[in-house]
Each structure stands twice: as structure tokens, then as C-alpha cells.
Amino acid sequence: MKIINILNFKQNFQYVRKIKYKKGIKVVPTFLEYTGIHKHAKTELQLFVYDNLELDEYQDFNSIEISKHIVKDKVNWINIHGMNEIDKIKSIVDYFDIDQFMLSDILNTTKRTKLEENKDVLFFNIKSLLPTKDSLTISVEQISFLLKEDILISFQEKRSDFFTHIRERIRTHSGIVRSKKADYLMYLLLDAIMENFYITIENEEDNVENLINIAKTSANQDILVQVEKHRDNFNFLKRSLIPLRDSLYAIKSIKEDEIFEVIEHKNFTFFDRLHQKTLELLEQIEYDLTTLESVSNFYFSTQNHKMNEVMKTLTVVSVFFMPLTFIVGVYGMNFDNMPELHWKYGYFVIIVCMLLLLLGMIYYFKKKKWY
């Protein structure tokens, strides 16, 4: 009996908690494995070597040749598309003496956004979100950065155009990017990724606005399904932004570390701007969640209003026929002493009286604006 009670307690405890945990893929740090969904993306390398005067660009070069292209005292940006060729990626990371634990976090896409400082390397992991083609769901891509002296290595799961405008600025010497170091370049890349959050939130807001317009004219229950779907999307955006906000805030602690000089002291203000953007985005999401809640409330209030109108109509109709039913009931009683039953015009008089009574009630209700 005691064992049965213990089992019942465990079952009840699990039921009360009702917590669902999305289990990520467990990857041993010493065993490197790409856990993302872009399994067929080819691993391609792209290298920009530049300063304020010169620019060299290399496409699809071999990782063995990297030592020939890297130039000291210049900014060296290595951009890697595709995470499937582990050996090629590992050879680059090993060349720059990067800890293998960081490489494991780069390949494991189930990790949350994080910032890690190890020796002379700054590791930044971020989720890039964009709406899908149907605009109803959100696609996720993990992008990672390794910042070391004049070296910036960026890792993308697949080829995309997130950084196309930054490449053009480097090629055309637009702005101050060529006069800055690798830390400013990482700021520009992070800022480009955060623009995707604005695009995604704006897309969700457009969908919610359309949903509000539909809710005003339709009583379809699919509206509630759409509301819940967009609420999940906003909550997902929120869960993605909170660790990013915390990571950008953590950069402020690096500012006080005089030993770690990967980020120039004067460039910390740029990362402060990114932190402010995360706060702005989170505030916007909270506002959108409130708006989405108002859609549900509006839908239910509309349904209640329609139900009240139906009940009001039915009540008015029943009140109209109530006195008529009473008259019919009186004259339907089987009494002999009812003189009207033997009167020649009795039937017509009662019908006229019932009609006048009905018209009088309609006029009175109309005057009182009860319908």
C-alpha cells in the first residue's frame, strides 16, 4: 500500500508541474558534430584582408592556404558558409589556436545566445530570425563570431545575404569601416543581424493588424488559432532577445578589463547602442503581446455582443406573443358560461383586439428603444 501511495504521489506531482522541456541534442565537446537542419549546405570560405589603403578579397580558398593570405596589422575577416565539412572548419580554428569547446558550441545550434571570453578570444553566438515565405512562421539560423586581435571569423549555417551591404561598404570604402579594426566590423555584423529582428517583428505586426481587421467582420474560430500562433512567435522572439540583451550587457564588464584588448575602449559605445536596441525590441514585443491580447478580447466581446443581440431579439418576440398566448389560453378553457363563444362576431373581435394589442406593444417598445 505504501508503494502504491508513493507511485500515486509521483504521478500527481508530475501532473501538477506540467513543464515541457525541449531537449537539445547532446554533443560531447570532444566530438564535433553539426546539429542544424542545413545538412546539404557546402562549406565555403571567404576572406577579406583590408586596411584604410588596401583591400584583398579571396573566394573559395583552401583552409591550408590561409597562412598565405592572413596579413598582420590588417583586418582579416574570414566568413564561413555551411557547417557540414567539420575538418575544414576545424583546421581554421586550430590554426588560430581556438579552444575546441568554442567550436563545439558553434556547431551545436541548440545552444542559446551567449558571450564568452577566453584568453585573447571573444566568442559570440547569436540567433538570426526572419519570417518564412508564407509569413506565418519564423526561420532560425545560428551565426557565431570569433574575435581575436585583428582576426574576425564568422560562421553561418548557409549562404545568405545578411552581410551583403557590409561587403559592399568594404569594397567601395564607404563609411568608416575600412579605418576601423575587427571589433567594429563585428559590431556592424551584429547590427545587421539585429535588423532581421526588426523585419520579423514588423512582419508579425502586419499579420496581427490583418487579424484585427478579420476579427471585426468574422466570427470564425480560426482567428483564435492564429492569435495563439502569433503569440507563440512573439514569445519566441522574446526568448531569443533576452539572452542577446544579457550578452551585450556583459560586454560592459569587458570594458573594465584592461588586460582584454580585443575591443577598443572607444568602440564600446557601439555595443551599447546594440544593447539599447535589444531593450527597444523587447519593449515593442511587450506592446505587441498586449495588442494580441486585445484581439482575443475583441473577438470574445464581439461574440458576446452577437449572442446578446440574438437573445434580445428572441426575448422581444417572446414578449410580443406572451399576452396573445394568454388570450388564446383563456378562450381555450372548456367553460359553458362564456357568452363570447356564442356571439356571431366574437371571433373577429378577439382577432382585432389581439392585433391591436400586438401593434400597441410594438409601438411602445419602439418608443422606449428596446429593440
Side-chain angles (χ1 to χ4, degrees):
M1 179 65 71
K2 185 175 181 181
I3 295 175
I4 293 175
N5 290 334
I6 292 174
L7 291 174
N8 291 334
F9 172 75
K10 289 183 177 180
Q11 291 175 354
N12 292 333
F13 179 73
Q14 292 174 355
Y15 177 77
V16 170
R17 289 184 72 219
K18 199 72 176 180
I19 296 177
K20 292 183 178 180
Y21 172 66
K22 184 178 180 181
K23 192 175 182 181
I25 300 176
K26 291 185 178 180
V27 177
V28 181
T30 55
F31 177 72
L32 302 176
E33 179 186 1
Y34 171 59
T35 62
I37 62 174
H38 304 285
K39 298 293 186 181
H40 303 291
K42 181 182 177 182
T43 301
E44 299 176 346
L45 305 180
Q46 183 184 39
L47 173 63
F48 285 86
V49 181
Y50 65 86
D51 59 11
N52 199 26
L53 300 176
E54 297 178 338
L55 167 65
D56 294 314
E57 182 178 350
Y58 306 93
Q59 299 283 347
D60 297 332
F61 61 93
N62 194 300
S63 58
I64 301 176
E65 303 173 351
I66 192 170
S67 59
K68 302 178 183 178
H69 303 315
I70 295 296
V71 180
K72 193 175 182 181
D73 297 329
K74 288 187 178 183
V75 176
N76 301 270
W77 174 27
I78 304 173
N79 191 31
I80 301 176
H81 300 97
M83 311 295 291
N84 294 294
E85 299 179 41
I86 307 297
D87 294 337
K88 184 183 290 188
I89 298 174
K90 187 176 185 302
S91 63
I92 294 176
V93 173
D94 290 342
Y95 176 82
F96 293 107
D97 193 25
I98 306 297
D99 197 300
Q100 190 161 317
F101 284 91
M102 292 184 179
L103 179 57
S104 177
D105 288 341
I106 292 170
L107 296 173
N108 189 357
T109 59
T110 62
K111 295 287 186 179
R112 75 196 295 265
T113 297
K114 64 181 292 187
L115 175 74
E116 185 176 342
E117 174 189 350
N118 187 4
K119 298 178 183 178
D120 58 343
V121 178
L122 182 68
F123 169 64
F124 207 118
N125 187 1
I126 186 174
K127 306 294 183 184
S128 177
L129 308 182
L130 276 175
T132 55
K133 291 182 179 179
D134 59 4
S135 299
L136 296 178
T137 56
I138 298 174
S139 64
V140 185
E141 179 184 351
Q142 177 171 284
I143 300 178
S144 304
F145 300 98
L146 291 174
L147 180 63
K148 180 179 180 179
E149 296 179 355
D150 296 326
I151 308 295
L152 177 63
I153 310 175
S154 56
F155 301 84
Q156 296 179 249
E157 293 187 69
K158 60 182 179 65
R159 180 173 288 277
S160 57
D161 56 355
F162 298 159
F163 308 139
T164 301
H165 64 289
I166 298 176
R167 296 188 186 97
E168 290 302 317
R169 288 174 63 178
I170 294 174
R171 294 184 183 116
T172 59
H173 206 321
S174 300
I176 61 174
V177 60
R178 291 271 294 273
S179 62
K180 291 285 187 177
K181 293 187 177 181
D183 55 344
Y184 180 78
L185 176 61
M186 189 177 79
Y187 154 73
L188 291 179
L189 300 180
L190 289 173
D191 187 57
I193 295 172
M194 290 191 65
E195 287 299 318
N196 294 340
F197 281 92
Y198 283 98
I199 294 172
T200 306
I201 291 176
E202 183 178 357
N203 177 76
E204 287 296 316
E205 289 176 342
D206 291 340
N207 290 332
V208 171
E209 184 177 354
N210 293 333
L211 202 59
I212 293 174
N213 294 331
I214 295 173
K216 292 178 180 179
T217 58
S218 174
N220 195 332
Q221 292 184 354
D222 288 341
I223 293 175
L224 296 180
V225 177
Q226 294 297 323
V227 166
E228 289 303 317
K229 181 178 291 186
H230 291 302
R231 182 179 285 114
D232 290 341
N233 288 344
F234 279 123
N235 284 324
F236 179 72
L237 283 164
K238 185 177 179 181
R239 290 195 303 270
S240 300
L241 276 168
I242 288 176
L244 176 58
R245 176 202 63 188
D246 297 339
S247 297
L248 290 170
Y249 183 80
I251 292 181
K252 294 182 179 180
S253 63
I254 300 177
K255 184 178 180 180
E256 302 172 359
D257 189 355
E258 297 180 357
I259 299 175
F260 193 78
E261 299 179 350
V262 173
I263 300 177
E264 288 187 291
H265 193 273
K266 60 183 179 181
N267 288 339
F268 278 100
T269 181
F270 297 112
F271 294 93
D272 288 339
R273 293 178 185 176
L274 294 180
H275 179 254
Q276 291 299 320
K277 282 189 175 183
T278 59
L279 298 179
E280 176 185 334
L281 288 168
L282 286 170
E283 289 177 358
Q284 185 63 34
I285 289 174
E286 290 296 337
Y287 172 79
D288 292 330
L289 285 171
T290 304
T291 303
L292 202 57
E293 188 68 28
S294 67
V295 176
S296 299
N297 295 335
F298 181 81
Y299 175 83
F300 286 117
S301 64
T302 302
Q303 293 296 99
N304 290 334
H305 177 72
K306 290 181 178 179
M307 180 62 69
N308 291 336
E309 289 296 319
V310 172
M311 295 302 297
K312 180 181 178 181
T313 302
L314 294 176
T315 302
V316 170
V317 172
S318 63
V319 170
F320 284 159
F321 283 92
M322 190 179 299
L324 306 181
T325 305
F326 172 75
I327 295 173
V328 172
V330 169
Y331 285 98
M333 293 187 294
N334 296 321
F335 288 106
D336 291 332
N337 191 17
M338 296 182 70
E340 299 90 341
L341 297 179
H342 304 286
W343 185 32
K344 181 179 180 179
Y345 302 104
Y347 171 76
F348 301 101
V349 172
I350 294 299
I351 292 297
V352 171
C353 290
M354 292 172 65
L355 181 60
L356 292 175
L357 179 61
L358 178 61
L359 294 175
M361 292 178 64
I362 292 174
Y363 172 76
Y364 182 77
F365 280 33
K366 191 72 175 179
K367 187 176 179 180
K368 291 290 186 180
K369 297 182 180 179
W370 288 353
Y371 70 93

